[in-house]
Amino acid sequence: MGKRSGVVYLFMVLLMVSCTSNSSISGVSNEKSNIEENKVETKEIEEITELEEQEIVPEKRNELEKLAVEVNGKVYEESSQFSEYVSGVKTRLNTDDKVISLTLDACGGEFGSGYDNDLISFLIEQNIKADLFVNARWVEAQYDTFMELSQNPLFTIQNHGTEHKPLSLTPRSAWGISSTSTQSEIIDEIMENQLKIYDATGTIPKYFRSGTAFYDETSVEIAEDLGLQVVNFDVIGDGGATFTKGEVVQEMLKAQPGSIVILHMNQPDSETAEGVKEAVLSLLEQGFSFVHLQEYELH
């Protein structure tokens, strides 16, 4: 259900509740009826207000577009690094608490636009939080699912790029995928999907992960100037959805307090879901809990 239709629906519910209250007051004092009715109305109005706050604000979108232009006009130094762990990339929560962040990538494209319903259903059933890094191509292929997930408080929506490219100022490649090669291409890879997510959900992602999770250090600086933190991981949970169930369990159980785990939610034929189920239950038994990235500082 879209945001505007959601507001209309809640408004109709409010009217129905009001009518029901008015037709059933016999035998009940007017004072008590009014109190109960006011409680219902207040709750519904709060829910409507919450939805309205997520409406698209043209001024905010203009600010994002203006920021992209400003950053494109800046001069950056040439880069010397290119990897998953260059300067500025965050890989852990800055805490000794027994908490773990699950980050799920949805890469999109010809072979990556599926949806692992088994995995997500398990997380919902177990009340497990996760941060979902979605690519623009996956959003387009799974739009209804994307919108449903964006409205679930267990999940946050984060930016996994527009065309799933590694980020670099000069031509490079990672895992056979060609990188961006100019400053403007870096900005487009980040901001086109940033705007797509904002236009759909009314929220602005705080975190970015590139396709392949490779960067040069200059592209990380550019992402930060665009208002995003670049987030990778210290635990590779499913090897790009290629691991067996046993391998997923083995790798996830290496998690330590503050670990960020990378998994994939776009390959339903993989063994990721089965491995995650066993590993998460084991980690819960060990006293770990699962949190969103935004609940802690990152380093």
Side-chain angles (χ1 to χ4, degrees):
M1 182 182 296
K3 297 177 187 64
R4 198 168 298 280
S5 61
V7 171
V8 173
Y9 173 76
L10 286 174
F11 181 68
M12 293 302 295
V13 170
L14 179 56
L15 289 178
M16 291 172 64
V17 170
S18 178
C19 291
T20 302
S21 298
N22 290 335
S23 65
S24 61
I25 59 175
S26 59
V28 182
S29 71
N30 288 336
E31 181 179 0
K32 181 177 181 181
S33 177
N34 289 336
I35 291 173
E36 293 303 317
E37 187 175 18
N38 287 338
K39 287 181 179 178
V40 172
E41 289 178 353
T42 300
K43 181 176 185 296
E44 297 295 343
I45 290 170
E46 288 174 351
E47 291 176 355
I48 291 172
T49 301
E50 183 178 348
L51 284 175
E52 288 177 335
E53 288 175 350
Q54 295 181 14
E55 291 288 341
I56 307 305
V57 180
E59 291 79 7
K60 178 60 68 174
R61 195 183 201 282
N62 290 340
E63 288 175 10
L64 292 173
E65 293 175 334
K66 181 179 178 181
L67 178 61
V69 172
E70 291 176 352
V71 172
N72 197 37
K74 294 183 65 174
V75 177
Y76 293 88
E77 296 182 0
E78 292 295 325
S79 61
S80 59
Q81 308 172 34
F82 184 68
S83 77
E84 297 160 295
Y85 302 104
V86 301
S87 302
V89 173
K90 313 299 184 183
T91 60
R92 290 180 51 81
L93 309 174
N94 189 16
T95 182
D96 293 325
D97 296 345
K98 291 192 74 172
V99 295
I100 296 169
S101 174
L102 297 183
T103 63
L104 278 57
D105 286 4
C107 305
E110 183 179 359
F111 303 107
S113 289
Y115 171 59
D116 197 335
N117 183 66
D118 193 23
L119 171 61
I120 297 298
S121 294
F122 168 77
L123 297 179
I124 293 173
E125 290 166 4
Q126 297 295 321
N127 201 37
I128 302 297
K129 297 177 181 178
D131 296 287
L132 312 182
F133 283 78
V134 298
N135 180 262
R137 303 171 305 174
W138 188 87
V139 171
E140 292 170 359
Q142 299 283 351
Y143 188 78
D144 290 343
T145 297
F146 163 72
M147 289 303 299
E148 182 179 349
L149 293 173
S150 74
Q151 295 162 15
N152 189 322
L154 283 175
F155 307 124
T156 75
I157 301 298
Q158 306 303 335
N159 189 340
H160 193 35
T162 305
E163 296 183 13
H164 200 254
K165 293 182 178 182
L167 294 190
S168 174
L169 270 180
T170 57
R172 292 181 168 111
S173 68
W175 301 105
I177 300 176
S178 297
S179 72
T180 58
S181 58
T182 67
Q183 184 169 324
S184 61
E185 285 181 6
I186 292 171
I187 293 170
D188 287 346
E189 178 66 14
I190 296 170
M191 291 304 292
E192 285 183 13
N193 195 37
Q194 191 82 337
L195 288 167
K196 179 184 288 289
I197 293 170
Y198 178 68
D199 287 344
T201 68
T203 60
I204 301 174
K206 298 178 180 180
Y207 307 107
F208 178 83
R209 177 179 293 152
S210 70
T212 74
F214 268 70
Y215 321 81
D216 65 13
E217 73 275 22
T218 304
S219 64
V220 175
E221 184 180 353
I222 290 172
E224 290 174 346
D225 287 344
L226 291 170
L228 291 134
Q229 292 188 65
V230 176
V231 178
N232 276 1
F233 37 80
D234 67 328
V235 174
I236 299 176
D238 66 353
T242 65
F243 287 174
T244 65
K245 171 187 174 180
E247 290 171 329
V248 173
V249 173
Q250 175 180 297
E251 294 306 310
M252 287 188 65
L253 292 184
K254 293 178 180 178
Q256 301 294 318
S259 280
I260 298 174
V261 181
I262 180 175
L263 297 159
H264 291 75
M265 54 178 278
N266 62 313
Q267 298 290 348
D269 295 330
S270 73
E271 296 185 28
T272 294
E274 291 305 311
V276 169
K277 291 177 185 179
E278 183 173 327
V280 163
L281 293 177
S282 178
L283 289 165
L284 288 172
E285 289 179 356
Q286 295 176 34
F288 283 95
S289 59
F290 295 89
V291 299
H292 290 142
L293 293 168
Q294 65 192 18
E295 295 180 50
Y296 288 85
E297 292 185 1
L298 307 181
H299 71 155

